[in-house]
Amino acid sequence: MKTLKGLVIGLALLACTAQAQGGVNMPAFSLPAAIDGALVTSEAYRGKAVLVTFFATWCPQCLQEIPTLKELHAKFEQQGFTVVALSVDQNGADAVAQLVRQAGINYPVLMADRSTTHDFGDVAAIPTSFLVNKEGRVVKKYPGYISRGSLEKDIEAVL
């Protein structure tokens, strides 16, 4: 029993150390934009703080987050921050592009593929978001809906 307790404590310390050092590198990706199909790579965000959020047009919590994400993107964009939304919609880019236009989304929206969801840790539920610091390290994962206050505080910490 003491060995198991020691292992649990050791793993907890390792996790804390990894987070303190800035987590793991953001997985590389090259994905088409929902609006025009242009390929966008993760390299485009080098040196920026990024909130990568996996979503779908049919997800109520995902739609609920859009106004907050738009506001935070606009507020912090000049400081080197961007939101990048990765759609897991199966119905294709047309449905996503329609949402982008209707909701007036002001941040990049890309079409995720299976490889990308896998590379980010097998994203199984949406919304799921990842905060990436300016060094390209994932520093926080948000499974589910994120409150504006928590998100804003965390973004300010990585800027």
Side-chain angles (χ1 to χ4, degrees):
M1 195 61 151
K2 286 184 178 183
T3 305
L4 180 58
K5 184 177 178 182
L7 178 62
V8 170
I9 291 170
L11 289 173
L13 289 172
L14 181 62
C16 290
T17 302
Q19 188 165 0
Q21 293 175 348
V24 298
N25 286 331
M26 177 177 74
F29 59 81
S30 180
L31 300 169
I35 292 288
D36 61 8
L39 281 182
V40 178
T41 69
S42 51
E43 284 296 311
Y45 305 105
R46 182 183 297 266
K48 291 187 176 190
V50 183
L51 181 72
V52 177
T53 183
F54 287 84
F55 82 104
T57 59
W58 45 262
C59 165
Q61 288 184 323
C62 300
L63 300 177
Q64 184 181 355
E65 285 184 334
I66 290 173
T68 295
L69 298 178
K70 287 171 39 180
E71 291 168 11
L72 293 174
H73 176 80
K75 179 176 181 175
F76 294 114
E77 185 176 21
Q78 295 304 313
Q79 297 174 46
F81 170 77
T82 189
V83 173
V84 177
L86 303 181
S87 172
V88 297
D89 278 83
Q90 299 291 319
N91 294 333
D94 289 341
V96 179
Q98 183 177 351
L99 173 67
V100 170
R101 287 189 289 275
Q102 286 177 343
I105 293 176
N106 59 347
Y107 48 84
V109 179
L110 312 177
M111 300 302 297
D113 56 22
R114 191 171 297 234
S115 174
T116 305
T117 59
H118 172 75
D119 292 348
F120 272 87
D122 288 323
V123 174
I126 54 170
T128 296
S129 301
F130 301 85
L131 184 61
V132 180
N133 66 18
K134 289 185 175 185
E135 290 74 40
R137 310 280 287 171
V138 176
V139 295
K140 194 148 191 182
K141 178 180 179 179
Y142 306 91
Y145 177 81
I146 318 162
S147 74
R148 180 190 172 105
S150 294
L151 192 52
E152 190 165 6
K153 178 184 67 139
D154 292 344
I155 292 167
E156 288 172 342
V158 297
L159 292 175

